[in-house]
Amino acid sequence: GCFQLIVFGRMTLGRMDCLFISTVSTRSIRVFHHTSPICISNSFPVSTRTKSSALILHLSSNHTNDEKHEGTICVVLGDLHLSPIDMELHNIAQKQILDAVELLKKQHESIAFNQHVVSLGDLGAKEPFGFSGTTESFQLAHTYLSNFNIPFSLITGNHDLEGLSEFDSDKLNLQAWAHVFKHTGVMSPEFNNLPVFRKDLGHAVLLGLSTIRFRDSPGSSHEVYIDDDQIRWFEQQLEQLHDKHVFVFTHAPPMGCNLRVLSNVHVKNLCAWLNHSAGRRRRRVFINLAKRYPCVKAWFSGHFHLSHDFEDSVTLLDEQCTFVQCGVIGEDSARDERRQTRILLSFTDKMCIYSVNHHQNGRLRLDATVSFDSEAQRAHMDIPKSFETDRNPMYLFKAYTPRPYDGCYLEEVESNNADGEPQAVMAKKVCWWHTSRGIVLGVHDGMILEYDEETLDPVGVVMTKDELDGRDVFWIAEADALIVVPPRNGSDVEVVHPNEDGTYARKYQLNKRFRIETKQREKIAKTWIQNNFPITTLQK
Protein backbone atom coordinates (compact mmCIF):
# COMPACT_ATOMS: atom_id res chain seq x y z
CA GLY A 1 0.00 0.00 0.00
CA CYS A 2 2.93 2.41 -0.44
CA PHE A 3 5.76 3.49 -2.72
CA GLN A 4 9.28 2.77 -1.57
CA LEU A 5 12.01 4.66 -3.42
CA ILE A 6 15.73 5.14 -2.76
CA VAL A 7 16.58 8.61 -4.07
CA PHE A 8 19.09 11.43 -3.97
CA GLY A 9 16.83 14.40 -4.50
CA ARG A 10 15.07 12.94 -7.51
CA MET A 11 12.40 10.27 -7.84
CA THR A 12 9.82 8.75 -10.15
CA LEU A 13 6.24 9.07 -9.01
CA GLY A 14 3.97 7.14 -11.33
CA ARG A 15 5.14 8.22 -14.78
CA MET A 16 6.36 11.64 -13.60
CA ASP A 17 10.01 12.51 -13.27
CA CYS A 18 10.09 14.61 -10.08
CA LEU A 19 12.33 16.57 -7.75
CA PHE A 20 11.66 16.83 -4.04
CA ILE A 21 12.61 18.91 -1.05
CA SER A 22 12.21 17.11 2.28
CA THR A 23 11.63 18.77 5.63
CA VAL A 24 13.01 16.46 8.30
CA SER A 25 11.69 18.44 11.27
CA THR A 26 8.09 18.16 10.08
CA ARG A 27 8.60 14.74 8.49
CA SER A 28 7.07 15.95 5.21
CA ILE A 29 8.07 16.33 1.58
CA ARG A 30 7.22 18.73 -1.24
CA VAL A 31 7.27 17.21 -4.73
CA PHE A 32 7.96 19.22 -7.90
CA HIS A 33 7.66 18.26 -11.54
CA HIS A 34 11.15 17.90 -13.00
CA THR A 35 10.70 19.64 -16.38
CA SER A 36 8.87 22.63 -14.93
CA PRO A 37 9.31 23.38 -11.23
CA ILE A 38 5.63 23.64 -10.37
CA CYS A 39 4.68 22.27 -6.99
CA ILE A 40 2.61 19.11 -7.51
CA SER A 41 1.79 18.53 -3.85
CA ASN A 42 2.74 19.79 -0.41
CA SER A 43 3.40 17.99 2.86
CA PHE A 44 3.21 14.31 2.05
CA PRO A 45 3.45 12.35 5.32
CA VAL A 46 6.77 10.55 5.27
CA SER A 47 8.79 8.19 7.39
CA THR A 48 12.56 8.01 7.05
CA ARG A 49 15.41 5.77 7.98
CA THR A 50 19.00 5.72 6.85
CA LYS A 51 20.54 2.90 4.84
CA SER A 52 23.87 3.13 2.96
CA SER A 53 23.78 6.93 3.14
CA ALA A 54 20.56 6.96 1.13
CA LEU A 55 17.18 8.28 2.13
CA ILE A 56 14.34 5.75 1.90
CA LEU A 57 10.96 7.44 1.58
CA HIS A 58 7.65 5.74 2.35
CA LEU A 59 4.94 7.84 0.69
CA SER A 60 1.56 7.06 2.19
CA SER A 61 -0.86 5.35 -0.15
CA ASN A 62 -3.66 7.85 0.43
CA HIS A 63 -1.95 10.19 -2.11
CA THR A 64 -2.83 9.94 -5.79
CA ASN A 65 -0.79 11.36 -8.63
CA ASP A 66 -3.81 12.15 -10.77
CA GLU A 67 -3.78 15.82 -9.79
CA LYS A 68 -3.11 17.99 -12.87
CA HIS A 69 -1.51 21.40 -12.80
CA GLU A 70 -2.11 24.18 -15.27
CA GLY A 71 -0.15 25.30 -18.30
CA THR A 72 -0.84 26.90 -21.66
CA ILE A 73 0.11 25.75 -25.15
CA CYS A 74 -0.29 28.47 -27.77
CA VAL A 75 0.48 27.92 -31.46
CA VAL A 76 1.45 31.23 -33.07
CA LEU A 77 1.09 31.34 -36.85
CA GLY A 78 3.01 34.00 -38.74
CA ASP A 79 1.91 35.46 -42.09
CA LEU A 80 -0.11 32.62 -43.67
CA HIS A 81 -0.67 33.99 -47.21
CA LEU A 82 -2.93 31.06 -48.09
CA SER A 83 -3.61 30.42 -51.76
CA PRO A 84 -6.59 28.36 -53.00
CA ILE A 85 -4.45 27.06 -55.87
CA ASP A 86 -1.75 25.57 -53.62
CA MET A 87 -2.49 24.46 -50.05
CA GLU A 88 -0.21 21.41 -49.92
CA LEU A 89 2.62 22.86 -47.79
CA HIS A 90 0.21 24.50 -45.37
CA ASN A 91 -1.75 21.28 -44.91
CA ILE A 92 1.46 19.32 -44.26
CA ALA A 93 2.59 22.02 -41.82
CA GLN A 94 -0.73 21.82 -39.97
CA LYS A 95 -0.22 18.14 -39.28
CA GLN A 96 3.39 18.81 -38.18
CA ILE A 97 2.17 21.49 -35.75
CA LEU A 98 -0.47 19.21 -34.26
CA ASP A 99 2.10 16.40 -33.90
CA ALA A 100 4.42 18.84 -32.10
CA VAL A 101 1.62 19.87 -29.73
CA GLU A 102 0.92 16.23 -28.87
CA LEU A 103 4.62 15.59 -28.30
CA LEU A 104 4.87 18.52 -25.88
CA LYS A 105 1.77 17.36 -24.02
CA LYS A 106 3.27 13.89 -23.71
CA GLN A 107 6.50 15.35 -22.35
CA HIS A 108 4.48 17.20 -19.67
CA GLU A 109 1.89 14.60 -18.72
CA SER A 110 1.37 16.06 -15.26
CA ILE A 111 0.18 19.37 -16.73
CA ALA A 112 -3.39 20.10 -17.81
CA PHE A 113 -2.84 22.40 -20.77
CA ASN A 114 -5.13 25.10 -22.08
CA GLN A 115 -4.67 25.11 -25.85
CA HIS A 116 -5.07 27.97 -28.29
CA VAL A 117 -4.04 29.02 -31.80
CA VAL A 118 -3.30 32.64 -32.74
CA SER A 119 -2.93 33.90 -36.31
CA LEU A 120 -0.93 37.11 -36.74
CA GLY A 121 -2.78 38.05 -39.92
CA ASP A 122 -1.98 38.41 -43.63
CA LEU A 123 -4.31 35.51 -44.40
CA GLY A 124 -4.42 35.59 -48.20
CA ALA A 125 -1.70 35.18 -50.83
CA LYS A 126 -0.89 37.62 -53.62
CA GLU A 127 -1.68 34.91 -56.16
CA PRO A 128 -4.17 34.60 -57.68
CA PHE A 129 -3.93 38.34 -58.33
CA GLY A 130 -6.12 40.40 -56.02
CA PHE A 131 -6.85 37.54 -53.59
CA SER A 132 -5.45 39.22 -50.45
CA GLY A 133 -8.03 40.96 -48.30
CA THR A 134 -11.06 39.47 -50.06
CA THR A 135 -14.00 37.64 -48.48
CA GLU A 136 -12.80 34.48 -50.23
CA SER A 137 -9.38 34.77 -48.57
CA PHE A 138 -11.02 35.13 -45.16
CA GLN A 139 -13.24 32.09 -45.77
CA LEU A 140 -10.26 29.98 -46.85
CA ALA A 141 -8.38 31.00 -43.72
CA HIS A 142 -11.41 30.27 -41.54
CA THR A 143 -11.54 26.72 -42.90
CA TYR A 144 -7.80 26.25 -42.41
CA LEU A 145 -7.77 27.57 -38.84
CA SER A 146 -10.87 25.56 -37.91
CA ASN A 147 -9.15 22.36 -39.06
CA PHE A 148 -6.73 22.62 -36.13
CA ASN A 149 -9.69 21.66 -33.92
CA ILE A 150 -8.24 24.00 -31.31
CA PRO A 151 -9.90 27.31 -30.36
CA PHE A 152 -8.31 30.18 -32.27
CA SER A 153 -8.09 33.97 -32.26
CA LEU A 154 -6.65 36.30 -34.87
CA ILE A 155 -5.77 39.87 -35.76
CA THR A 156 -5.45 41.68 -39.07
CA GLY A 157 -2.25 42.17 -41.00
CA ASN A 158 -1.64 44.87 -43.60
CA HIS A 159 -2.63 42.60 -46.52
CA ASP A 160 -5.96 41.71 -44.89
CA LEU A 161 -7.29 45.16 -45.84
CA GLU A 162 -6.02 44.93 -49.42
CA GLY A 163 -9.34 43.86 -50.98
CA LEU A 164 -9.38 46.91 -53.25
CA SER A 165 -11.43 45.22 -55.97
CA GLU A 166 -14.18 44.19 -53.53
CA PHE A 167 -14.38 46.97 -50.94
CA ASP A 168 -14.38 50.74 -51.37
CA SER A 169 -13.16 51.53 -47.86
CA ASP A 170 -11.03 50.16 -45.06
CA LYS A 171 -14.12 50.15 -42.83
CA LEU A 172 -16.06 47.84 -45.16
CA ASN A 173 -13.02 45.60 -45.62
CA LEU A 174 -12.57 45.31 -41.85
CA GLN A 175 -16.27 44.56 -41.32
CA ALA A 176 -16.12 41.73 -43.87
CA TRP A 177 -13.14 40.23 -42.04
CA ALA A 178 -14.94 40.51 -38.70
CA HIS A 179 -18.12 38.93 -40.12
CA VAL A 180 -16.30 35.81 -41.29
CA PHE A 181 -14.59 35.42 -37.89
CA LYS A 182 -17.47 36.70 -35.73
CA HIS A 183 -17.49 33.54 -33.57
CA THR A 184 -14.09 34.62 -32.17
CA GLY A 185 -15.68 37.77 -30.73
CA VAL A 186 -13.77 40.33 -32.78
CA MET A 187 -15.55 43.68 -33.11
CA SER A 188 -18.25 42.57 -30.67
CA PRO A 189 -19.74 44.63 -27.80
CA GLU A 190 -17.58 42.51 -25.46
CA PHE A 191 -14.52 44.20 -26.99
CA ASN A 192 -16.08 47.66 -27.49
CA ASN A 193 -16.64 46.78 -31.18
CA LEU A 194 -12.88 46.90 -31.72
CA PRO A 195 -10.80 44.47 -33.85
CA VAL A 196 -9.06 43.09 -30.76
CA PHE A 197 -9.21 39.90 -28.77
CA ARG A 198 -8.70 38.78 -25.18
CA LYS A 199 -8.43 35.12 -24.25
CA ASP A 200 -8.16 34.10 -20.59
CA LEU A 201 -6.36 30.79 -20.16
CA GLY A 202 -5.85 30.44 -16.41
CA HIS A 203 -2.68 32.26 -15.39
CA ALA A 204 -2.11 33.34 -19.02
CA VAL A 205 -4.05 36.05 -20.85
CA LEU A 206 -3.69 36.58 -24.60
CA LEU A 207 -4.29 40.07 -26.04
CA GLY A 208 -4.39 40.93 -29.74
CA LEU A 209 -4.43 44.29 -31.58
CA SER A 210 -5.20 44.84 -35.29
CA THR A 211 -4.19 47.23 -38.04
CA ILE A 212 -7.17 49.23 -39.33
CA ARG A 213 -6.07 51.15 -42.41
CA PHE A 214 -4.71 50.45 -45.88
CA ARG A 215 -6.46 52.80 -48.34
CA ASP A 216 -6.42 55.64 -45.80
CA SER A 217 -2.75 55.40 -44.95
CA PRO A 218 -0.93 58.71 -45.56
CA GLY A 219 2.19 56.83 -46.62
CA SER A 220 2.83 53.17 -47.29
CA SER A 221 -0.36 51.10 -47.22
CA HIS A 222 1.64 48.34 -45.58
CA GLU A 223 2.21 50.24 -42.35
CA VAL A 224 0.59 48.39 -39.42
CA TYR A 225 -1.49 51.08 -37.73
CA ILE A 226 -3.26 50.62 -34.39
CA ASP A 227 -5.63 53.46 -33.53
CA ASP A 228 -6.02 55.31 -30.22
CA ASP A 229 -9.21 53.40 -29.27
CA GLN A 230 -7.34 50.10 -29.35
CA ILE A 231 -4.42 51.59 -27.43
CA ARG A 232 -6.77 52.80 -24.68
CA TRP A 233 -8.44 49.39 -24.53
CA PHE A 234 -5.03 47.71 -24.37
CA GLU A 235 -3.87 49.84 -21.45
CA GLN A 236 -7.15 49.24 -19.61
CA GLN A 237 -6.57 45.49 -19.90
CA LEU A 238 -3.02 45.78 -18.59
CA GLU A 239 -4.25 47.77 -15.58
CA GLN A 240 -6.51 44.85 -14.65
CA LEU A 241 -4.01 42.04 -15.28
CA HIS A 242 -1.12 42.85 -12.93
CA ASP A 243 -1.30 39.34 -11.38
CA LYS A 244 -1.45 37.49 -14.73
CA HIS A 245 1.01 36.57 -17.45
CA VAL A 246 0.06 38.65 -20.49
CA PHE A 247 1.07 37.65 -24.02
CA VAL A 248 0.58 40.26 -26.75
CA PHE A 249 0.05 39.63 -30.47
CA THR A 250 0.42 42.24 -33.23
CA HIS A 251 1.22 41.86 -36.90
CA ALA A 252 4.32 44.10 -36.76
CA PRO A 253 6.57 44.57 -33.72
CA PRO A 254 6.83 47.73 -31.62
CA MET A 255 9.77 50.04 -32.18
CA GLY A 256 12.41 49.47 -29.50
CA CYS A 257 12.04 45.68 -29.29
CA ASN A 258 15.50 44.97 -30.82
CA LEU A 259 14.20 42.38 -33.28
CA ARG A 260 15.95 42.11 -36.64
CA VAL A 261 14.48 44.34 -39.32
CA LEU A 262 15.03 44.77 -43.07
CA SER A 263 16.31 48.29 -43.65
CA ASN A 264 16.04 48.12 -47.44
CA VAL A 265 12.41 46.92 -47.34
CA HIS A 266 10.32 47.79 -44.30
CA VAL A 267 12.44 50.61 -42.87
CA LYS A 268 12.81 52.22 -46.30
CA ASN A 269 9.04 52.12 -46.83
CA LEU A 270 8.26 53.36 -43.28
CA CYS A 271 6.28 50.23 -42.43
CA ALA A 272 8.57 48.22 -40.14
CA TRP A 273 7.14 49.10 -36.73
CA LEU A 274 3.69 49.58 -35.26
CA ASN A 275 2.47 53.09 -36.17
CA HIS A 276 5.83 53.63 -37.85
CA SER A 277 5.05 56.93 -39.59
CA ALA A 278 2.43 58.18 -37.11
CA GLY A 279 4.81 60.34 -35.11
CA ARG A 280 7.11 59.80 -32.16
CA ARG A 281 4.43 59.42 -29.47
CA ARG A 282 2.27 56.94 -31.34
CA ARG A 283 5.12 54.72 -32.43
CA ARG A 284 6.76 54.66 -28.98
CA VAL A 285 3.60 54.05 -26.96
CA PHE A 286 3.76 50.26 -27.32
CA ILE A 287 7.30 49.76 -26.06
CA ASN A 288 6.62 52.16 -23.20
CA LEU A 289 3.55 50.15 -22.17
CA ALA A 290 5.56 46.93 -22.30
CA LYS A 291 8.13 48.53 -19.98
CA ARG A 292 5.53 50.05 -17.65
CA TYR A 293 3.58 46.83 -17.04
CA PRO A 294 5.69 43.86 -15.84
CA CYS A 295 2.72 41.55 -16.47
CA VAL A 296 3.57 41.69 -20.21
CA LYS A 297 5.77 38.62 -20.49
CA ALA A 298 6.05 38.25 -24.27
CA TRP A 299 5.12 40.02 -27.49
CA PHE A 300 4.74 38.02 -30.73
CA SER A 301 4.85 39.54 -34.23
CA GLY A 302 5.36 38.56 -37.87
CA HIS A 303 5.37 40.88 -40.91
CA PHE A 304 9.06 40.54 -41.84
CA HIS A 305 8.89 36.97 -43.24
CA LEU A 306 12.19 36.24 -41.49
CA SER A 307 13.10 32.89 -39.98
CA HIS A 308 13.71 32.00 -36.33
CA ASP A 309 17.40 31.27 -36.95
CA PHE A 310 18.75 34.79 -36.48
CA GLU A 311 20.42 35.72 -33.21
CA ASP A 312 17.87 38.49 -32.70
CA SER A 313 14.71 36.58 -33.61
CA VAL A 314 14.02 36.36 -29.84
CA THR A 315 15.04 39.29 -27.62
CA LEU A 316 14.64 40.04 -23.91
CA LEU A 317 14.25 43.75 -23.16
CA ASP A 318 15.29 45.11 -19.76
CA GLU A 319 14.98 41.65 -18.14
CA GLN A 320 11.23 41.95 -18.45
CA CYS A 321 9.48 41.43 -21.80
CA THR A 322 10.50 38.92 -24.47
CA PHE A 323 9.88 39.83 -28.11
CA VAL A 324 9.45 36.99 -30.58
CA GLN A 325 9.66 37.05 -34.39
CA CYS A 326 7.35 34.53 -36.08
CA GLY A 327 8.23 33.04 -39.44
CA VAL A 328 6.14 31.75 -42.33
CA ILE A 329 4.93 28.40 -43.65
CA GLY A 330 4.66 29.09 -47.37
CA GLU A 331 7.64 28.55 -49.62
CA ASP A 332 6.97 31.71 -51.64
CA SER A 333 6.74 33.80 -48.46
CA ALA A 334 10.08 32.77 -46.92
CA ARG A 335 12.92 35.27 -47.35
CA ASP A 336 15.65 32.86 -46.25
CA GLU A 337 14.30 29.45 -47.34
CA ARG A 338 13.33 28.50 -43.78
CA ARG A 339 9.70 27.78 -43.00
CA GLN A 340 8.74 27.80 -39.34
CA THR A 341 5.94 28.16 -36.77
CA ARG A 342 6.20 29.17 -33.10
CA ILE A 343 4.78 27.27 -30.14
CA LEU A 344 4.60 28.87 -26.70
CA LEU A 345 4.51 26.79 -23.52
CA SER A 346 3.58 28.92 -20.53
CA PHE A 347 3.78 27.95 -16.87
CA THR A 348 3.39 30.06 -13.76
CA ASP A 349 7.13 30.50 -13.32
CA LYS A 350 8.53 30.25 -16.86
CA MET A 351 7.79 29.97 -20.55
CA CYS A 352 9.38 27.93 -23.31
CA ILE A 353 9.49 29.11 -26.93
CA TYR A 354 9.74 26.42 -29.62
CA SER A 355 10.08 26.32 -33.40
CA VAL A 356 8.40 23.77 -35.63
CA ASN A 357 10.81 23.55 -38.57
CA HIS A 358 8.64 22.72 -41.57
CA HIS A 359 11.65 22.74 -43.89
CA GLN A 360 13.03 19.88 -41.76
CA ASN A 361 9.95 17.65 -41.78
CA GLY A 362 8.42 19.33 -38.75
CA ARG A 363 11.37 18.94 -36.36
CA LEU A 364 10.58 20.53 -32.99
CA ARG A 365 13.30 22.72 -31.48
CA LEU A 366 13.49 24.59 -28.18
CA ASP A 367 14.68 28.13 -28.93
CA ALA A 368 14.50 29.81 -25.52
CA THR A 369 13.45 29.26 -21.93
CA VAL A 370 12.52 32.40 -19.99
CA SER A 371 12.30 32.10 -16.21
CA PHE A 372 10.30 34.59 -14.14
CA ASP A 373 11.31 36.02 -10.79
CA SER A 374 7.96 37.15 -9.41
CA GLU A 375 9.43 39.00 -6.43
CA ALA A 376 11.98 41.02 -8.41
CA GLN A 377 9.68 41.20 -11.46
CA ARG A 378 12.60 40.18 -13.63
CA ALA A 379 13.06 37.55 -16.31
CA HIS A 380 16.10 35.51 -17.36
CA MET A 381 16.46 33.91 -20.80
CA ASP A 382 18.45 30.77 -21.59
CA ILE A 383 19.26 29.84 -25.20
CA PRO A 384 19.88 26.08 -25.65
CA LYS A 385 22.79 24.75 -27.68
CA SER A 386 20.37 23.12 -30.13
CA PHE A 387 19.36 26.60 -31.30
CA GLU A 388 22.98 27.79 -31.50
CA THR A 389 24.01 24.90 -33.73
CA ASP A 390 21.08 25.41 -36.09
CA ARG A 391 22.16 28.89 -37.07
CA ASN A 392 23.54 29.27 -40.55
CA PRO A 393 26.75 31.38 -40.58
CA MET A 394 25.43 33.14 -43.67
CA TYR A 395 22.74 34.69 -41.50
CA LEU A 396 24.98 35.79 -38.64
CA PHE A 397 25.75 39.33 -39.71
CA LYS A 398 25.78 41.98 -37.03
CA ALA A 399 23.05 44.61 -37.21
CA TYR A 400 24.53 47.49 -35.25
CA THR A 401 22.51 50.45 -34.02
CA PRO A 402 23.81 53.63 -32.35
CA ARG A 403 24.10 54.02 -28.60
CA PRO A 404 23.70 57.21 -26.60
CA TYR A 405 26.90 59.17 -25.90
CA ASP A 406 29.06 56.84 -27.95
CA GLY A 407 31.10 59.68 -29.43
CA CYS A 408 29.83 58.92 -32.92
CA TYR A 409 32.40 56.21 -33.48
CA LEU A 410 31.71 52.58 -34.27
CA GLU A 411 33.97 50.11 -32.53
CA GLU A 412 35.42 47.26 -34.57
CA VAL A 413 32.54 44.87 -35.21
CA GLU A 414 32.89 41.39 -36.67
CA SER A 415 30.65 40.37 -39.53
CA ASN A 416 30.58 37.52 -42.04
CA ASN A 417 31.26 37.83 -45.74
CA ALA A 418 29.48 35.88 -48.48
CA ASP A 419 31.71 32.86 -47.81
CA GLY A 420 30.79 32.84 -44.12
CA GLU A 421 34.24 34.02 -43.07
CA PRO A 422 34.68 36.64 -40.31
CA GLN A 423 35.64 40.11 -41.41
CA ALA A 424 35.98 43.47 -39.65
CA VAL A 425 33.64 46.14 -40.92
CA MET A 426 33.43 49.91 -40.48
CA ALA A 427 36.27 49.96 -37.98
CA LYS A 428 36.93 53.36 -36.33
CA LYS A 429 34.78 55.18 -38.83
CA VAL A 430 32.39 58.03 -38.07
CA CYS A 431 29.01 56.53 -38.90
CA TRP A 432 26.28 58.51 -37.16
CA TRP A 433 25.56 61.94 -35.83
CA HIS A 434 23.17 63.63 -33.40
CA THR A 435 21.71 66.83 -34.83
CA SER A 436 20.93 69.89 -32.73
CA ARG A 437 17.23 69.02 -33.04
CA GLY A 438 17.81 65.60 -31.55
CA ILE A 439 17.57 63.69 -34.83
CA VAL A 440 20.01 60.78 -35.15
CA LEU A 441 21.47 60.05 -38.60
CA GLY A 442 23.77 57.21 -39.50
CA VAL A 443 25.43 55.26 -42.28
CA HIS A 444 24.68 51.54 -42.12
CA ASP A 445 24.83 48.83 -44.77
CA GLY A 446 25.68 51.42 -47.44
CA MET A 447 22.66 53.62 -46.73
CA ILE A 448 22.04 56.81 -44.78
CA LEU A 449 19.40 56.05 -42.15
CA GLU A 450 17.45 58.10 -39.66
CA TYR A 451 17.14 56.58 -36.17
CA ASP A 452 14.59 57.20 -33.44
CA GLU A 453 16.40 59.29 -30.83
CA GLU A 454 14.79 57.47 -27.88
CA THR A 455 14.80 53.80 -28.92
CA LEU A 456 17.70 54.15 -31.42
CA ASP A 457 15.87 51.89 -33.86
CA PRO A 458 15.95 52.77 -37.58
CA VAL A 459 13.08 55.02 -38.64
CA GLY A 460 13.65 55.40 -42.36
CA VAL A 461 16.08 55.66 -45.26
CA VAL A 462 17.53 59.05 -46.17
CA MET A 463 19.68 57.81 -49.08
CA THR A 464 19.66 54.37 -50.67
CA LYS A 465 22.72 52.30 -51.60
CA ASP A 466 22.40 53.31 -55.23
CA GLU A 467 22.17 57.01 -54.35
CA LEU A 468 25.18 56.83 -52.02
CA ASP A 469 27.30 54.41 -54.03
CA GLY A 470 30.94 55.55 -54.29
CA ARG A 471 30.43 58.75 -52.29
CA ASP A 472 31.39 60.00 -48.84
CA VAL A 473 29.18 61.53 -46.16
CA PHE A 474 30.20 64.39 -43.86
CA TRP A 475 28.44 66.08 -40.96
CA ILE A 476 29.16 69.80 -40.44
CA ALA A 477 28.23 70.38 -36.81
CA GLU A 478 28.35 74.18 -36.87
CA ALA A 479 25.91 74.24 -39.81
CA ASP A 480 23.86 71.25 -38.61
CA ALA A 481 24.23 70.02 -42.19
CA LEU A 482 24.77 66.64 -43.82
CA ILE A 483 26.66 66.79 -47.12
CA VAL A 484 27.50 64.15 -49.72
CA VAL A 485 30.70 64.29 -51.77
CA PRO A 486 31.08 64.41 -54.73
CA PRO A 487 27.75 66.10 -55.53
CA ARG A 488 25.50 64.72 -58.27
CA ASN A 489 22.98 67.54 -58.44
CA GLY A 490 25.03 69.78 -60.73
CA SER A 491 26.01 72.21 -57.97
CA ASP A 492 29.21 72.68 -56.02
CA VAL A 493 27.79 71.07 -52.88
CA GLU A 494 25.03 68.53 -52.21
CA VAL A 495 23.31 69.10 -48.85
CA VAL A 496 20.83 66.56 -47.52
CA HIS A 497 18.06 68.83 -46.27
CA PRO A 498 15.49 67.82 -43.64
CA ASN A 499 11.77 67.53 -44.31
CA GLU A 500 9.41 70.31 -43.20
CA ASP A 501 8.87 68.59 -39.83
CA GLY A 502 12.62 68.34 -39.16
CA THR A 503 12.92 64.63 -39.95
CA TYR A 504 15.12 63.29 -42.75
CA ALA A 505 13.57 59.95 -43.77
CA ARG A 506 12.23 60.00 -47.33
CA LYS A 507 8.95 58.53 -48.55
CA TYR A 508 9.88 55.90 -51.11
CA GLN A 509 6.50 54.13 -51.23
CA LEU A 510 3.19 55.93 -51.64
CA ASN A 511 -0.26 54.64 -50.68
CA LYS A 512 -1.15 51.66 -52.88
CA ARG A 513 -4.62 52.89 -53.82
CA PHE A 514 -3.10 56.23 -54.84
CA ARG A 515 -0.53 54.42 -56.99
CA ILE A 516 -3.21 52.28 -58.64
CA GLU A 517 -5.43 55.29 -59.33
CA THR A 518 -2.44 57.17 -60.77
CA LYS A 519 -1.71 54.33 -63.21
CA GLN A 520 -5.38 54.10 -64.16
CA ARG A 521 -5.53 57.82 -64.95
CA GLU A 522 -2.37 57.55 -67.04
CA LYS A 523 -3.77 54.55 -68.93
CA ILE A 524 -7.08 56.30 -69.65
CA ALA A 525 -5.27 59.48 -70.72
CA LYS A 526 -2.99 57.52 -73.05
CA THR A 527 -5.96 55.76 -74.64
CA TRP A 528 -7.82 59.07 -75.04
CA ILE A 529 -4.81 60.70 -76.74
CA GLN A 530 -4.42 57.76 -79.14
CA ASN A 531 -8.10 57.87 -80.06
CA ASN A 532 -8.40 61.61 -80.50
CA PHE A 533 -5.08 62.69 -81.95
CA PRO A 534 -3.35 61.00 -84.88
CA ILE A 535 0.30 60.19 -84.34
CA THR A 536 1.29 62.60 -87.15
CA THR A 537 -0.53 65.45 -85.42
CA LEU A 538 1.29 64.78 -82.17
CA GLN A 539 4.61 64.67 -84.00
CA LYS A 540 3.99 68.11 -85.45
Side-chain angles (χ1 to χ4, degrees), residues 200-212:
D200 290 69
L201 303 172
H203 73 279
V205 178
L206 315 182
L207 299 178
L209 305 170
S210 289
T211 183
I212 64 161

Side-chain angles (χ1 to χ4, degrees), residues 425-445:
V425 294
M426 299 174 72
K428 301 297 182 185
K429 181 178 179 180
V430 176
C431 61
W432 56 77
W433 308 268
H434 300 259
T435 73
S436 62
R437 296 185 179 183
I439 301 295
V440 181
L441 300 172
V443 176
H444 178 72
D445 197 25

Side-chain angles (χ1 to χ4, degrees), residues 336-380:
D336 48 20
E337 300 180 354
R338 301 191 177 198
R339 303 183 299 107
Q340 295 162 314
T341 295
R342 293 285 191 193
I343 297 182
L344 164 71
L345 254 64
S346 173
F347 306 101
T348 55
D349 63 338
K350 70 174 183 178
M351 66 179 174
C352 301
I353 299 167
Y354 291 85
S355 286
V356 182
N357 291 285
H358 304 301
H359 58 286
Q360 296 177 334
N361 299 316
R363 182 172 71 90
L364 184 65
R365 183 188 72 202
L366 176 63
D367 290 350
T369 299
V370 183
S371 304
F372 306 128
D373 183 343
S374 57
E375 293 183 4
Q377 295 185 334
R378 288 289 181 264
H380 174 74

Side-chain angles (χ1 to χ4, degrees), residues 16 25 76 128 137 207 325 340 344 410 434 471 533 535:
M16 295 184 294
S25 60
V76 188
S137 73
L207 299 178
Q325 165 69 31
Q340 295 162 314
L344 164 71
L410 180 63
H434 300 259
R471 301 202 283 170
F533 292 91
I535 295 177

Side-chain angles (χ1 to χ4, degrees), residues 28-45:
S28 67
I29 186 171
R30 301 180 68 199
V31 179
F32 295 79
H33 192 267
H34 173 56
T35 56
S36 59
I38 300 171
C39 186
I40 293 175
S41 183
N42 290 318
S43 301
F44 287 152

